[in-house]
Amino acid sequence: MNISTATSSGAGPSRPSPTTSTFKSTAQTDGTSGSLWTEILGSADRQKGLGRKNLIVLSERHHGRTHLLSQLNVSSKKRKSFKQSRNGKKGLALGYEVIDISDGDEDSVPPLSVFYPPSSHPSLLKLLSKALPPKSLSDTAAVIILDWTRPSSMVKELLTWISWIDQWATGNAERGESEELKERLQSHIQHYSEPSPTPQTGSTAYVGAGALLPLGQGTLTLNHSGILITVVCTKADLMDSVAEEIGVKGGGWEERTDWIQQVLRTICLAYGASLFYTAPTQPITYTLLRSHLLHRLFTLPPSLSPNTITTTESSTQHVASTRFPFPHRANVLDRDAVMVPSGWDSWGKINVLREGFDPARTAKAFENSLKRFNGDEDDEGEPLEDIWDSMIPDIEKGPKPSSTTQPSIPETEQSFLTRQLDLLLKDPNRDPRQTFRHAAATVVGPMSNSEGLNLPGVEKALGEMEGLEKSEELKEKFARLSRKDSSRNTNGPLSPTTTTPGGTGTTAAMPNEALHNFFQGLLANRSKTGSPSTTTSAKPTETK
């Protein structure tokens, strides 16, 4: 377990403030014992109101949890040690960190304890419920982290984390604790008022609260345990990069991101939760998130029954509210810096963002999905996953890597060449004679004919390649050609256009025979005229 111990004095029990010590010495000198005990009791009330709080961070892997927690720890010295304690420890079953929130004030505040599982695996979630301090339900808030670069999985992750929160709160709540926490959450929503544009120092969201109005439609309909929940969507500055993978660009993608915001706000409204977008390009988003978490953890809302509130609770509420105020207005227009505090939203405000959205249908569909996720197969209503998939297609490509996947063994070189040879031998177009015939078809002249290039030498070579024994036939053909040539030599040299005896002026012989006879005639004439000495010597003899 990754445990980072805090070295500041704020990690232990709260200490009396210097004001208390000074007042004690003065009281002893003046003898005003009544004022001394009043200050001691007030200090004890402040220590009770600023007790140790817990934060559960629920996130899948690679959703920006490390960066988010480092930004929540605003102390530079603490932030450095926080990052170093997380490096090289990816195989943790459960993570634990502390966030210093004292800020050097005189009233020491214990650091904020942060628990987080690496993923949503059931075995890891069992460890989380056992690692939390006992009887800490009222001092614990949950943060659900979603990733804007994976919008297709937002609904499934919400179902997983919210179901676990409901089961954990139901199993760890004492008698009557869930009803008390839900009443406190309802009081926060009903007493919430929008801060003024120019808030004064120390003002809170409860200042100036008027008459209590009933809860609006779809407000706090699902959070029966009253747990403080904040949904944080990280990497909001990269939401437009997903448009290319989905295939929707321009105004169409902007409409879908607004639709996602409306769906998330509808679900948060049903749980009384807050919605925050964070982005590294907007550092103010982390500051606002930290301020809101501390305000919700340490500030008690006014009681729904003012007559039953005690003096101690009133003093604690006042000290905490002035210590951790949240005088910031909601923001739903900046796409990468959305901030919707708990108690501000309503169905009417959700519809204003984009026309055509039906919050009632979305809320009902999420309830159906939640029932199916928890094993209620009898519900046949429309689940939210179907609506979500029709608007935001799944962009996950290929199977996810698994540790049990067997490594692929490449094929050997010899087997690859053998397989290619078998394919080449079975190919009917690999006959070499087709090449000769194709080349002969383009020849112009006495060699051009429909039969192509069919010379005796070529036929012999092809015959040997095919293993055919045609030597006797070739000898006979050459003998016949020689006889024809000897009979034609008496009429003079043979040319490609010589008419055969009895012919009609056209070439009666086949092209190969005509070509053979033509070359044989040239050789015969050369042998007759090739010896000039014999010819010249013979002529004088005849004249004599």
Side-chain angles (χ1 to χ4, degrees):
M1 183 179 295
N2 185 12
I3 299 178
S4 175
T5 58
T7 59
S8 64
S9 59
S14 301
R15 299 174 299 174
S17 64
T19 305
T20 304
S21 301
T22 304
F23 184 83
K24 180 178 180 181
S25 60
T26 305
Q28 289 176 351
T29 304
D30 298 340
T32 55
S33 58
S35 300
L36 174 61
W37 285 109
T38 303
E39 184 65 23
I40 292 176
L41 292 176
S43 177
D45 292 340
R46 288 194 296 270
Q47 292 177 10
K48 182 179 179 181
L50 301 177
R52 197 179 190 96
K53 305 295 182 180
N54 306 305
L55 190 65
I56 302 176
V57 179
L58 304 173
S59 170
E60 297 290 352
R61 300 182 187 273
H62 311 297
H63 278 21
R65 174 180 54 213
T66 303
H67 181 72
L68 177 65
L69 293 179
S70 64
Q71 292 297 321
L72 294 180
N73 197 12
V74 295
S75 176
S76 60
K77 185 182 297 185
K78 289 290 182 181
R79 183 182 302 176
K80 183 177 180 181
S81 63
F82 181 85
K83 287 185 177 180
Q84 290 178 353
S85 66
R86 297 175 59 84
N87 292 334
K89 297 182 180 180
K90 298 181 179 180
L92 300 176
L94 183 64
Y96 172 77
E97 300 290 350
V98 292
I99 296 179
D100 185 21
I101 57 177
S102 61
D103 298 336
D105 292 345
E106 59 180 11
D107 290 334
S108 104
V109 182
L112 185 64
S113 300
V114 181
F115 301 84
Y116 57 91
S119 65
S120 60
H121 196 276
S123 60
L124 301 178
L125 296 180
K126 290 181 181 179
L127 293 176
L128 178 59
S129 60
K130 297 182 179 299
L132 290 170
K135 300 180 181 180
S136 61
L137 192 64
S138 59
D139 296 327
T140 305
V143 174
I144 299 176
I145 298 179
L146 305 177
D147 190 353
W148 253 116
T149 60
R150 298 176 176 88
S152 57
S153 61
M154 284 183 173
V155 169
K156 297 178 182 178
E157 294 178 11
L158 271 177
L159 289 172
T160 301
W161 297 125
I162 287 179
S163 299
W164 180 85
I165 291 175
D166 290 338
Q167 295 176 3
W168 165 72
T170 304
N172 291 270
E174 298 181 355
R175 179 178 299 180
E177 188 176 9
S178 296
E179 291 76 8
E180 181 182 353
L181 293 178
K182 186 174 182 180
E183 182 181 352
R184 184 186 302 178
L185 182 58
Q186 180 179 347
S187 175
H188 165 79
I189 295 175
Q190 289 184 300
H191 283 93
Y192 180 87
S193 62
E194 182 76 5
S196 61
T198 57
Q200 300 178 357
T201 305
S203 62
T204 65
Y206 302 126
V207 175
L212 296 183
L213 298 177
L215 296 176
Q217 288 182 312
T219 304
L220 202 59
T221 57
L222 296 177
N223 193 351
H224 302 293
S225 59
I227 296 296
L228 302 180
I229 301 175
T230 302
V231 178
V232 180
C233 298
T234 59
K235 308 176 187 178
D237 54 335
L238 301 178
M239 64 172 64
D240 291 336
S241 62
V242 188
E244 298 181 359
E245 302 181 21
I246 294 181
V248 182
K249 298 181 181 180
W253 175 243
E254 186 175 350
E255 292 180 1
R256 300 197 184 194
T257 56
D258 290 343
W259 181 82
I260 292 176
Q261 181 190 146
Q262 290 176 308
V263 173
L264 295 179
R265 287 170 60 183
T266 302
I267 298 174
C268 289
L269 184 63
Y271 274 85
S274 305
L275 177 64
F276 280 77
Y277 286 10
T278 60
T281 57
Q282 298 282 350
I284 189 62
T285 57
Y286 300 102
T287 304
L288 294 176
L289 175 60
R290 182 180 187 274
S291 178
H292 179 74
L293 289 175
L294 296 180
H295 174 73
R296 295 292 290 118
L297 279 171
F298 288 96
T299 305
L300 293 177
S303 176
L304 292 178
S305 302
N307 296 330
T308 60
I309 187 170
T310 63
T311 306
T312 304
E313 292 177 351
S314 178
S315 176
T316 302
Q317 173 188 337
H318 175 72
V319 171
S321 63
T322 56
R323 180 68 182 273
F324 300 105
F326 187 72
H328 303 285
R329 300 170 65 88
N331 180 14
V332 295
L333 299 180
D334 296 335
R335 299 175 63 235
D336 57 346
V338 172
M339 182 187 69
V340 183
S342 174
W344 177 85
D345 214 353
S346 64
W347 279 7
K349 295 177 181 178
I350 294 175
N351 287 328
V352 170
L353 181 64
R354 182 76 64 174
E355 296 182 357
F357 182 77
D358 188 1
R361 177 192 177 192
T362 302
K364 182 61 177 177
F366 184 76
E367 292 182 13
N368 297 335
S369 298
L370 198 60
K371 292 178 181 178
R372 291 189 180 184
F373 188 86
N374 293 328
D376 187 3
E377 301 294 342
D378 297 334
D379 186 27
E380 299 180 356
E382 179 185 27
L384 184 58
E385 296 98 309
D386 295 346
I387 305 176
W388 191 276
D389 293 340
S390 62
M391 293 291 293
I392 312 297
D394 190 1
I395 60 175
E396 297 292 336
K397 298 179 180 179
K400 295 183 179 180
S402 177
S403 57
T404 58
T405 303
Q406 296 295 333
S408 59
I409 301 176
E411 186 180 6
T412 61
E413 183 179 357
Q414 291 299 327
S415 61
F416 172 77
L417 295 177
T418 303
R419 183 165 51 84
Q420 295 298 323
L421 179 61
D422 295 339
L423 295 176
L424 293 176
L425 293 178
K426 295 178 181 179
D427 188 1
N429 298 326
R430 299 293 297 178
D431 189 357
R433 290 177 294 182
Q434 299 295 333
T435 305
F436 289 104
R437 292 192 181 99
H438 178 70
T442 59
V443 177
V444 179
M447 292 170 25
S448 61
N449 198 349
S450 60
E451 295 183 2
L453 188 62
N454 194 20
L455 297 178
V458 176
E459 285 290 343
K460 182 178 179 181
L462 294 177
E464 292 179 354
M465 292 174 61
E466 296 178 357
L468 301 178
E469 298 179 356
K470 295 184 179 180
S471 57
E472 296 297 332
E473 297 179 3
L474 290 176
K475 289 180 180 179
E476 227 176 284
K477 185 180 292 186
F478 277 113
R480 186 171 60 254
L481 290 175
S482 62
R483 287 196 297 271
K484 290 182 180 180
D485 181 61
S486 60
S487 63
R488 290 178 181 178
N489 284 339
T490 57
N491 297 327
L494 184 64
S495 64
T497 56
T498 303
T499 305
T500 58
T504 59
T506 61
T507 304
M510 300 298 291
N512 54 348
E513 296 177 358
L515 185 61
H516 181 270
N517 294 337
F518 174 73
F519 284 107
Q520 290 294 335
L522 290 178
L523 294 175
N525 292 336
R526 183 177 181 182
S527 62
K528 291 180 180 181
T529 60
S531 54
S533 58
T534 307
T535 306
T536 53
S537 60
K539 288 183 180 180
T541 305
E542 291 177 0
T543 54
K544 291 179 182 181

